[in-house]
Amino acid sequence: MQPYNRRDFIKTATLALSSISLAGLPFSFGCRKKEGLFSDNSSPLSLWYDEPASVWTEALPVGNGRLGAMVYGGKENETIQFNEDTLWSGQPHDYAHEGAHEYLGQLRRLLWEGRQDEAHELGNEHFMSQPFRQTAYLPFGNILLNFPGHESASDYQRRLDLGEALSTVSYKVKGVQFKREVFASRPGQTLAIRLEASGKGDLTFTAGLDSPHSKYHVSVDGDHIILKGKANNFHQGRDRNGYPYPESRLTFEARLKVKQEGGKYNKKESSIEVVGAKSAILYLVAATSFVSYNDISGNPQQRCINYLANLEGRSYEKLKAEHIKDFKSLFNRVTLDLGNSEISKRPTDERLVSFTKDEDPAMVTLLFQYGRYLLISSSRPESQPANLQGIWNDKLEPSWGSKYTLNINAEMNYWPAEITNLSECAEPLISMVEDLSETGQNVAKEHYDLSGWVVHHNTDIWRGAAPINGANHGIWVTGGAWLSQHLWWRYQYTGDKEFLRNRAYPILKEASRFFTDYLVPYPENPEWLVSGPSNSPEIGGLVMGPTMDHQIIRNLFSNTIEAAEILGIDEDFAAELKEKRERIAPNQIGRLGQLQEWLEDVDSPENHHRHFSHMWGVFPGCEINRRKTPKLNAAARKSLQWRGDGPVGWSRAWQVNLYARFGDGETAHDRLVKLVARNAAPNLLNKCWDNRIQPFQIDGNFGGTSGVAEMLLQSHLRDEHGDYYQDLLPALPSRLSSGKISGIKGRGGFEISLNWEDGRLVSVKVKSQQGNKLNLRYNEQMVSQETIAGETYTFGRTDFNK
Ligand code: FUC
């Protein structure tokens, strides 16, 4: 196949790495005082810039859950890099290692005897996934637009309006006003682009497609530009144990339909030229042969033809109105206002530079809502869940395969889903857990000779569940158990019993079943049951009994027991879980007053590792909390303080949530500021490491959004009857002393709006969705109220003074 000649379009160095040194001085854009073309630059819900993006981390993301795109906004050469969420390397594959369980007893013995190196060796040789590594999420292609003569554009501005999920570019060339608009429509399953000139006949451009994959071909048929290809391989050859990596087998197709108003249309071999038009509309559709994790018999060509056929008869304006309505139906459920300052009006990249020192509370609003925007754009029912990069990836070899890391990252992506009223956006994660509860059964059988299901620290689109990469951190058994928490959360927030009965409970039950027989007695105290071989994620190597596993398994058992009680089933099984839950090794306070990360008291104050997995019991778990377990809470706090301010984006984001749970708004806010100052790229996507432009990792964005919500509302604790407390403003930082939020959700089915001034609650409005008892708590004062489903209740500050 002949690769499309990209040089037709790239005449300037728009796509080359910027000459700005992003390594040393990340965001030194200088001071630009020029006002943009748009009247309302102060809109708190937009990102805007007065230069095109020169690198991917400056481009602006749009997405409909399945299709994602990054808009560069180039003047002469526009690039819209796009993804489709099923384009992965590899093919359907069962990663379980046949007969691995024969080595399980030996692994445990070695670890009890302190022979960790030997255990690692044995694990690497006999206990790991086949092959050793999983596949990668891949980029799809680029829409390339060339506008001759536009290099001299002036009055330039590009922006992303979160409220309408629209990306726009606007500028002037020789007195003619040009405008581009891009959105990813979910109702239309298309990436829609409108190009427009103020003068009749002033719009001239060439449109084309290309792809980074080795095998692809571009052709033109009527007004369609057609890109066909086959996915590249990510891993090749054989793994370290000689097991072959499966070839990539997915095929893909994209079609760009070009429709102009006025002017001439010239069909070229692999591009379309439009000369002298008033405006043009471009629709991109894309699909692969992926059907499900074990079926790739889909027909991408037919899918593209169907998508385009569905667009027939719908005007661009209608499509845009449908898109905005669809997007707003989710986005508008929550509003946040933390006030504005003069700085809020500046271009987004300038605000990033000043955020650490200047008052810019609207930046917190922007970050909070950007997280919600990104979740809606990357995770909708029937799409794949948001991976390490959501759905935005331009690299054939993305960091960590842009897949799903389950020892923190994938779950963090979904922390904001329920509390920020986007329950539907968690649906892809829940579907993935359903798939994993199937593939994880064979892993339970082959690796542990047990029933139920188990998943280790990573998965991919083929739903790999076996331990990967290296025994010292890959053999970690609680990936599936952690994921199961999200099914329970859905029930806690929505009260949906059908969901609990038909979808959540079977998954929880089989995840628990695995652990009932997996846990083993602790030789030094056989009353205790411990997990292992496992690890405290990515630190300390393979061990028996890491604290995090025990916290997660206790949480899984508790949720399963409660679900069985609500559904009135499986009494005996619930009793067995209760008995075992009591025996799981407890959280322990060590010699320096810290919460122990392991069974042994070996934690060090010098350890600043990015993972602080034993904090799981504080958040996202809740068995350690300042009200019911104050001593453990203080120990956890001490351990977290030892870790410093978190060396990577996602660990800083986790700290925002943890300090919010500790009721420490000041430190939570400090970590939020650092999350932005050290990890936000110019387009506000979060980077994993400080001061490095790549890799981008979306967990920092989602964890940040969840952290802001946790500062304002927490609902994880319950009274003696099992009714949730809604803790209002539990960790309000002084720099966010006045504001209002509407529509966030508390467990038990409450939609809550709050208003506060000078650091104090002014009023609260609660809509009860399930008719549960409402327990509002503010400043240690309680207001309790029986509620009726559908009714709204309002309270003022004085209600909390009684
Ligand atoms: C884990 C983390 C890394 C990164 C990767 C995707 O391995 O320790 O920091 O987030 O996942």
Side-chain angles (χ1 to χ4, degrees):
M1 295 193 205
Q2 273 305 305
Y4 180 69
N5 185 355
R6 194 175 174 137
R7 269 169 309 183
D8 285 3
F9 295 91
I10 311 301
K11 292 183 188 131
T12 60
T14 317
L15 289 181
L17 269 181
S18 159
S19 55
I20 303 169
S21 164
L22 289 153
L25 243 184
F27 309 121
S28 57
F29 288 86
C31 199
R32 293 170 301 210
K33 285 287 166 234
K34 178 170 50 99
E35 281 291 307
L37 287 171
F38 293 81
S39 50
D40 185 17
N41 283 336
S42 62
S43 159
L45 294 184
S46 66
L47 281 68
W48 72 276
Y49 309 81
D50 52 20
E51 293 290 342
S54 55
V55 289
W56 194 83
T57 40
E58 291 171 12
L60 294 171
V62 295
N64 67 5
R66 190 180 69 84
L67 294 172
M70 296 293 280
V71 184
Y72 281 69
K75 294 174 180 172
E76 187 190 14
N77 292 302
E78 169 68 291
T79 300
I80 301 174
Q81 184 267 322
F82 65 93
N83 290 93
E84 198 268 5
D85 68 353
T86 64
L87 185 50
W88 284 64
S89 67
Q91 56 172 287
H93 182 74
D94 180 356
Y95 291 84
H97 189 144
E98 209 185 315
H101 63 85
E102 284 164 27
Y103 298 88
L104 181 62
Q106 209 178 328
L107 279 173
R108 285 180 174 150
R109 258 191 316 278
L110 287 171
L111 292 172
W112 287 133
E113 288 166 14
R115 294 154 68 189
Q116 194 189 46
D117 290 347
E118 288 166 70
H120 289 162
E121 223 167 283
L122 186 76
N124 280 331
E125 213 170 310
H126 297 291
F127 205 78
M128 304 301 286
S129 170
Q130 287 184 322
F132 219 68
R133 294 176 189 277
Q134 293 172 352
T135 59
Y137 176 55
L138 301 175
F140 203 119
N142 301 293
I143 302 171
L144 303 167
L145 304 174
N146 176 251
F147 301 92
H150 288 207
E151 62 276 16
S152 62
S154 63
D155 297 341
Y156 177 94
Q157 191 181 86
R158 68 186 168 100
R159 58 193 286 139
L160 178 64
D161 281 295
L162 304 188
E164 302 203 313
L166 281 181
S167 158
T168 49
V169 179
S170 171
Y171 55 84
K172 281 184 181 154
V173 179
K174 295 185 187 135
V176 179
Q177 175 77 56
F178 289 92
K179 192 172 172 196
R180 294 175 213 154
E181 194 167 70
V182 182
F183 62 90
S185 157
R186 180 168 144 87
Q189 286 299 318
T190 186
L191 200 64
I193 304 164
R194 182 176 157 85
L195 310 172
E196 191 188 319
S198 58
K200 216 173 161 187
D202 284 325
L203 180 68
T204 292
F205 68 97
T206 308
L209 292 174
D210 79 356
S211 173
H213 292 265
S214 319
K215 290 183 180 163
Y216 78 94
H217 178 77
V218 179
S219 60
V220 176
D221 180 9
D223 59 0
H224 291 183
I225 304 172
I226 304 169
L227 163 72
K228 283 178 192 290
K230 182 168 179 288
N232 264 35
N233 287 321
F234 181 56
H235 296 297
Q236 311 221 29
R238 291 175 178 272
D239 74 5
R240 47 163 284 163
N241 293 330
Y243 193 93
Y245 280 106
E247 291 278 310
S248 290
R249 282 183 50 210
L250 284 176
T251 58
F252 58 83
E253 177 161 333
R255 288 182 177 230
L256 184 69
K257 182 181 164 82
V258 181
K259 237 166 72 176
Q260 92 269 23
E261 188 201 332
K264 273 199 326 223
Y265 159 96
N266 298 320
K267 184 180 145 184
K268 302 198 167 178
E269 200 189 325
S270 58
S271 62
I272 287 174
E273 184 187 41
V274 169
V275 181
K278 162 83 176 120
S279 66
I281 291 158
L282 282 62
Y283 290 132
L284 180 96
V285 296
T288 74
S289 51
F290 179 89
V291 178
S292 67
Y293 75 86
N294 52 13
D295 178 359
I296 54 168
S297 64
N299 180 339
Q301 175 179 338
Q302 197 53 51
R303 285 175 168 175
C304 284
I305 290 170
N306 294 348
Y307 286 136
L308 284 173
N310 285 339
L311 294 173
E312 291 297 328
R314 266 195 267 185
S315 68
Y316 175 84
E317 287 311 323
K318 183 156 190 279
L319 194 73
K320 181 175 159 186
E322 282 171 0
H323 159 69
I324 292 173
K325 186 167 171 231
D326 165 70
F327 178 80
K328 282 190 166 178
S329 70
L330 293 167
F331 189 76
N332 283 6
R333 288 176 186 172
V334 173
T335 64
L336 175 65
D337 182 357
L338 297 168
N340 271 310
S341 72
E342 192 278 324
I343 294 162
S344 316
K345 296 183 186 157
R346 294 183 191 167
T348 307
D349 43 3
E350 286 183 21
R351 286 171 73 187
L352 266 181
V353 179
S354 59
F355 184 57
T356 39
K357 354 186 236 311
D358 300 329
E359 289 297 322
D360 189 3
M363 186 62 142
V364 178
T365 310
L366 183 62
L367 289 164
F368 171 82
Q369 292 290 27
Y370 195 38
R372 297 184 68 246
Y373 167 87
L374 292 169
L375 192 60
I376 299 169
S377 305
S378 62
S379 187
R380 301 288 293 272
E382 281 148 48
S383 77
Q384 293 298 315
N387 61 47
L388 283 173
Q389 301 195 173
I391 40 168
W392 299 279
N393 167 35
D394 66 333
K395 294 200 163 29
L396 286 170
E397 296 188 355
S399 301
W400 298 287
S402 190
K403 53 188 187 305
Y404 302 97
T405 309
L406 305 178
N407 63 16
I408 177 78
N409 319 85
E411 292 91 347
M412 185 179 281
N413 286 359
Y414 287 89
W415 286 353
E418 301 292 344
I419 190 169
T420 78
N421 214 335
L422 296 175
S423 193
E424 297 91 328
C425 293
E427 184 56 33
L429 184 80
I430 289 169
S431 304
M432 181 168 85
V433 180
E434 289 174 327
D435 290 347
L436 287 168
S437 74
E438 294 173 9
T439 59
Q441 279 175 41
N442 203 31
V443 177
K445 181 167 159 283
E446 294 298 343
H447 290 247
Y448 301 94
D449 196 21
L450 292 176
S451 50
W453 64 283
V454 65
V455 178
H456 295 79
H457 98 299
N458 265 262
T459 193
D460 59 5
I461 201 165
W462 316 113
R463 307 310 188 222
I468 67 160
N469 290 0
N472 63 350
H473 65 286
I475 304 177
W476 173 76
V477 282
T478 39
W482 188 343
L483 284 169
S484 301
Q485 186 189 37
H486 289 260
L487 281 77
W488 179 245
W489 279 2
R490 153 95 55 109
Y491 173 73
Q492 285 185 306
Y493 280 90
T494 64
D496 183 345
K497 278 211 181 111
E498 283 309 294
F499 170 79
L500 185 69
R501 178 176 296 111
N502 301 327
R503 296 183 67 194
Y505 184 68
I507 304 259
L508 295 173
K509 181 178 174 185
E510 292 307 308
S512 293
R513 187 191 299 285
F514 171 82
F515 288 104
T516 51
D517 293 325
Y518 164 82
L519 296 168
V520 292
Y522 178 36
E524 290 186 24
N525 174 3
E527 266 312 292
W528 285 6
L529 293 176
V530 301
S531 168
S534 192
N535 69 94
S536 194
E538 307 193 22
I539 170 170
L542 214 46
V543 294
M544 294 300 291
T547 300
M548 177 201 229
D549 276 8
H550 299 152
Q551 296 173 341
I552 294 178
I553 298 166
R554 261 195 298 273
N555 182 273
L556 171 70
F557 282 8
S558 297
N559 299 342
T560 309
I561 293 164
E562 191 175 342
E565 284 169 359
I566 293 166
L567 298 171
I569 52 177
D570 287 340
E571 227 173 284
D572 293 347
F573 184 59
E576 183 189 348
L577 292 183
K578 277 185 197 164
E579 189 257 318
K580 295 236 157 114
R581 180 183 58 183
E582 300 318 310
R583 289 184 57 200
I584 297 174
N587 291 304
Q588 298 182 80
I589 298 176
R591 69 202 186 286
L592 300 172
Q594 87 284 10
L595 179 69
Q596 287 182 203
E597 187 163 358
W598 296 277
L599 280 173
E600 304 77 20
D601 187 358
V602 293
D603 308 77
S604 156
E606 308 309 319
N607 178 357
H608 305 307
H609 197 271
R610 64 193 177 284
H611 286 265
F612 14 85
S613 302
H614 46 323
M615 296 300 118
W616 199 94
V618 179
F619 185 92
C622 56
E623 68 177 25
I624 300 176
N625 60 75
R626 64 198 158 106
R627 294 180 187 276
K628 295 191 175 162
T629 60
K631 286 189 184 141
L632 284 172
N633 193 66
R637 220 180 145 157
K638 174 162 243 179
S639 294
L640 189 62
Q641 277 160 355
W642 285 0
R643 288 294 218 266
D645 56 18
V648 300
W650 60 259
S651 56
R652 222 158 259 142
W654 192 358
Q655 290 203 356
V656 180
N657 292 270
L658 288 166
Y659 280 104
R661 283 278 168 105
F662 291 142
D664 178 353
E666 297 313 316
T667 312
H669 187 268
D670 172 76
R671 301 305 192 258
L672 185 70
V673 170
K674 287 178 174 149
L675 176 70
V676 177
R678 300 191 191 159
N679 304 96
N683 59 12
L684 300 190
L685 290 178
N686 214 262
K687 301 168 296 151
C688 185
W689 311 110
D690 296 6
N691 300 326
R692 276 194 235 161
I693 195 72
Q694 291 280 23
F696 142 60
Q697 227 172 267
I698 206 158
D699 41 25
N701 289 93
F702 293 138
T705 293
S706 153
V708 172
E710 287 277 332
M711 289 178 195
L712 305 177
L713 175 69
Q714 293 175 17
S715 63
H716 52 286
L717 298 178
R718 301 196 226 185
D719 66 15
E720 64 281 12
H721 309 291
D723 292 307
Y724 297 95
Y725 290 105
Q726 310 299 322
D727 277 300
L728 309 179
L729 308 178
L732 188 67
S734 54
R735 280 178 68 179
L736 305 178
S737 61
S738 297
K740 38 184 191 264
I741 189 162
S742 70
I744 43 173
K745 296 224 29 205
R747 288 174 178 82
F750 300 104
E751 214 174 82
I752 297 183
S753 302
L754 300 165
N755 192 337
W756 65 99
E757 266 169 33
D758 300 325
R760 294 180 67 201
L761 182 74
V762 173
S763 63
V764 50
K765 205 165 90 184
V766 183
K767 182 168 182 202
S768 169
Q769 290 168 324
Q770 296 161 32
N772 285 329
K773 185 174 164 212
L774 175 66
N775 289 326
L776 292 178
R777 183 161 50 191
Y778 172 67
N779 246 352
E780 300 310 314
Q781 300 292 316
M782 280 274 307
V783 172
S784 288
Q785 164 95 44
E786 297 296 337
T787 70
I788 297 168
E791 295 286 311
T792 298
Y793 303 83
T794 308
F795 307 87
R797 185 190 295 163
T798 50
D799 289 311
F800 295 92
N801 288 341
K802 290 166 192 157

